[in-house]
Amino acid sequence: MDRRNLRLLYLLALIRLVLPYLLQHPYYQPHRDEFLYLAEGHHLAWGYLEVPPLLSLFAWLTNLLGGGMFWIKLWPDLFGSLTFLLAGRTILVLGGGRFALLLGWLPFVLDGYLRLFFLFQPNFLDVFFWTAMAYCLVCYVRSGSASWIYGFGLALGLGMMSKYSVAFYGISLLAGLLLTRERSVFGTRTIYLAGLIALLVFLPNLIWQYNHRFPVIHHMSELQQEQLQYNDATGFLVSQLVMNLPCVFIWISGLLWVWLGREGRPYRFLGWSYLLVIALLIALRGKDYYALGVYPMLFAFGAWRIEQATRQGRRWLRYALLVFAVGLGLFGMPLTMPVLRPQGLIRYYQATGLDHTGGFKWEDQQYHPLPQDFADMIGWREMARKAGAVYRSLPDSERRKTLVFCRGYFTAGALNYYREEAGLPEVYSDNASFLLWLPDSIGVRNLLLVAHQPADPEDPAFRHFARYTVRDSVAMPLFREHGMKFILYEKADDSSAGVFHQAVRTLKSRYSR
């Protein structure tokens, strides 16, 4: 490889690493889901009710380093640059030059990948390992070296320890190999040893899932009922174009090349895997971003192909494509990253007409002034401070007997994250993996409930309090949890401890053998 091109590759990766820190406005706080994954770092295990365990290792490191925004964002940001490096090295292996590298870099700084690789969620590991699996198979096709098949198995195993949807792409890649002349790999023991490697890496989580009655099935059922039921094939396919709109011509070029190009024929298994994984996600009503891992290698192929097609007599087209991608990417940047405070974003959306696009339709199927992800990055510190003020308003003698309890994992996670600043004790919840960390026995006199509504009067766990009062609420209309209440239940009777113990035991029994 040309050393100048290698230096450019690493320079672009470094710029991609720094850029998100410069783009996100400091007003914003961690995303609601990030609080859950950070909490998992305090409870290391081989599995959780929502996700496999690998992300919790990075959460543990983040907490060890102080838990600040820099460290929260470092890991997804770093893996974003590593994903680009895999795509970039593919371009260089194909014989691509500087223009191809630049084209292959643009999706990582202009498209939805910019936000995905700046959120501390399993998706950044998911996309990286999808790309790593494809990269290993591309290198195997080029070299014939069995070590790349073993690398594929390792990437599959580690990917399954990151997010279970890695299995979708793993199956699609294997099916793609079967449908092309590369099927010969199944006549060797290498692919089966690679499968054994993947299984051994994934085995600790598989055992954990068994011991906890496979909560992944329950979690997927909840997703289908609460979120995925609204997804349809048309919306999913349109989103595949919209998510990558500034650079859509690059991945389409790559997909066409593996299907129609003579030189792309050895990589046609990636074309099959693309069609298969898209069909699988449509059938399962998956969210549009579930497919983001399938594109980095197509971007690499497309960037190389476009460079080849514009070498002689069409160099003007290169400038036209760059202007199109950069211009459209900068126009849509405020949709991708929160570059301004909320009110500034809203004014931009209204002035440009972007507020009428589908990005403002939340999971409640209603349109809102901000994209849902951005509304999930504000208000948490203010909520924690209000909760702390209510808690600290109690006399010392009562405060020691008061439990702070949240209905949602996001409120429990946020209040725990800001606990010291807000003057709160450890905060509990029975939602998501917080249920596993809930004490088996709870003996309290008072309970501060953080929820949108008071508990159902028939709820046996709350009938044992003498009274309740709404002490305060969150008044931030742009915050997704606007209207959240702080409800103080007081003077539990002597039988409440037994009731709480039985309630917790019943809830946990769903996830124990």
Side-chain angles (χ1 to χ4, degrees):
M1 295 181 187
D2 189 303
R3 290 187 177 181
R4 291 174 299 177
N5 289 339
L6 273 176
R7 286 196 293 268
L8 177 61
L9 172 65
Y10 295 131
L11 175 61
L12 292 174
L14 180 61
I15 294 172
R16 203 231 64 85
L17 185 71
V18 174
L19 192 60
Y21 284 104
L22 303 178
L23 290 175
Q24 180 162 307
H25 194 283
Y27 175 82
Y28 295 87
Q29 301 161 22
H31 187 279
R32 64 191 267 144
D33 291 341
E34 291 178 322
F35 291 118
L36 170 63
Y37 303 125
L38 289 171
E40 289 173 354
H42 292 295
H43 303 271
L44 291 178
W46 283 115
Y48 302 92
L49 299 187
E50 314 80 20
V51 293
L54 187 57
L55 186 63
S56 66
L57 179 61
F58 294 100
W60 177 81
L61 288 171
T62 299
N63 295 330
L64 183 68
L65 295 167
M69 283 290 282
F70 173 83
W71 295 109
I72 294 173
K73 301 300 184 181
L74 176 64
W75 310 114
D77 196 24
L78 179 61
F79 273 85
S81 289
L82 291 175
T83 304
F84 164 67
L85 284 175
L86 291 178
R89 289 192 67 86
T90 301
I91 291 171
L92 296 182
V93 164
L94 292 171
R98 287 173 292 179
F99 179 68
L101 283 176
L102 184 60
L103 277 184
W105 177 72
L106 289 180
F108 293 92
V109 295
L110 295 177
D111 286 0
Y113 294 99
L114 189 60
R115 188 198 307 178
L116 180 141
F117 284 120
F118 209 53
L119 288 174
F120 188 77
Q121 298 175 1
N123 302 315
F124 77 85
L125 291 171
D126 184 43
V127 172
F128 171 76
F129 284 114
W130 282 39
T131 307
M133 287 191 296
Y135 177 78
C136 287
L137 292 181
V138 166
C139 290
Y140 167 74
V141 168
R142 290 189 64 86
S143 69
S145 173
S147 60
W148 289 111
I149 296 295
Y150 298 138
F152 167 79
L154 182 61
L156 176 59
L158 289 173
M160 289 293 291
M161 292 292 273
S162 307
K163 195 175 181 183
Y164 300 116
S165 59
V166 169
F168 298 155
Y169 196 43
I171 292 170
S172 298
L173 284 170
L174 293 174
L177 291 173
L178 277 171
L179 291 169
T180 63
R181 62 184 182 182
E182 306 307 326
R183 68 178 68 91
S184 59
V185 70
F186 291 95
T188 70
R189 66 176 184 176
T190 308
I191 193 72
Y192 306 104
L193 290 175
L196 180 60
I197 291 172
L199 177 61
L200 290 176
V201 172
F202 179 57
L203 188 59
N205 180 249
L206 191 60
I207 294 172
W208 185 93
Q209 284 284 336
Y210 172 80
N211 289 334
H212 290 79
R213 297 179 180 269
F214 291 95
V216 63
I217 298 174
H218 176 71
H219 180 62
M220 289 302 298
S221 177
E222 280 188 338
L223 278 178
Q224 287 287 345
Q225 294 173 14
E226 298 173 8
Q227 299 178 27
L228 304 185
Q229 62 173 314
Y230 301 111
N231 298 339
D232 60 76
T234 301
F236 181 88
L237 292 174
V238 170
S239 292
Q240 299 311 301
L241 299 176
V242 173
M243 287 189 301
N244 298 307
L245 190 57
C247 302
V248 67
F249 61 93
I250 306 176
W251 73 259
I252 289 178
S253 296
L255 186 60
L256 291 175
W257 180 66
V258 299
W259 276 112
L260 305 175
R262 182 176 58 83
E263 293 174 294
R265 185 176 180 181
Y267 313 109
R268 193 158 298 167
F269 69 91
L270 288 177
W272 279 111
S273 66
Y274 176 81
L275 296 180
L276 291 169
V277 80
I278 293 296
L280 188 59
L281 290 174
I282 288 175
L284 296 174
R285 295 182 177 271
K287 296 183 181 180
D288 51 13
Y289 65 83
Y290 288 2
L292 279 174
V294 81
Y295 292 103
M297 293 306 291
L298 294 181
F299 281 122
F301 290 148
W304 176 83
R305 183 68 188 95
I306 291 171
E307 183 183 62
Q308 296 300 305
T310 57
R311 272 188 169 170
Q312 294 180 348
R314 299 177 183 174
R315 298 184 73 88
W316 61 270
L317 186 56
R318 295 185 176 186
Y319 300 105
L321 293 175
L322 288 176
V323 169
F324 172 83
V326 174
L328 190 56
L330 292 178
F331 174 76
M333 186 68 71
L335 287 175
T336 304
M337 290 290 287
V339 295
L340 301 170
R341 293 171 69 96
Q343 289 297 341
L345 287 176
I346 292 172
R347 287 193 294 270
Y348 180 81
Y349 299 147
Q350 292 172 343
T352 57
L354 288 171
D355 58 334
H356 296 302
T357 60
F360 296 84
K361 190 175 184 180
W362 292 4
E363 290 172 356
D364 62 5
Q365 302 304 297
Q366 302 298 314
Y367 283 86
H368 296 266
L370 288 176
Q372 181 173 292
D373 274 344
F374 297 172
D376 283 334
M377 298 180 190
I378 60 176
W380 303 110
R381 176 182 276 112
E382 293 78 4
M383 174 188 286
R385 287 173 176 171
K386 284 203 170 193
V390 173
Y391 177 77
R392 287 181 279 104
S393 70
L394 301 175
D396 287 345
S397 58
E398 294 296 311
R399 202 182 303 164
R400 290 193 293 270
K401 304 173 186 176
T402 300
L403 178 79
V404 183
F405 189 85
C406 297
R407 285 297 193 195
Y409 68 82
F410 39 90
T411 43
L415 266 56
N416 275 318
Y417 182 80
Y418 291 112
R419 184 172 66 195
E420 293 185 9
E421 177 183 332
L424 286 165
E426 184 172 0
V427 180
Y428 296 99
S429 175
D430 60 356
N431 184 224
S433 286
F434 275 92
L435 171 62
L436 302 180
W437 313 324
L438 197 60
D440 292 332
S441 298
I442 304 175
V444 296
R445 181 172 174 81
N446 310 310
L447 186 147
L448 177 57
L449 176 67
V450 183
H452 280 286
Q453 299 295 336
D456 188 323
E458 300 303 314
D459 189 327
F462 288 84
R463 286 189 306 186
H464 295 267
F465 291 97
R467 64 177 182 270
Y468 78 84
T469 54
V470 178
R471 292 297 186 95
D472 204 348
S473 64
V474 176
M476 295 182 67
L478 296 178
F479 180 31
R480 190 174 172 190
E481 303 308 324
H482 169 64
M484 185 70 73
K485 297 177 177 60
F486 305 96
I487 309 160
L488 183 64
Y489 288 80
E490 300 177 86
K491 298 184 178 179
D493 60 36
D494 293 338
S495 63
S496 63
V499 173
F500 293 156
H501 174 73
Q502 184 58 43
V504 172
R505 183 178 179 181
T506 299
L507 289 171
K508 287 187 174 183
S509 66
R510 298 174 62 184
Y511 303 110
S512 61
R513 291 188 182 274

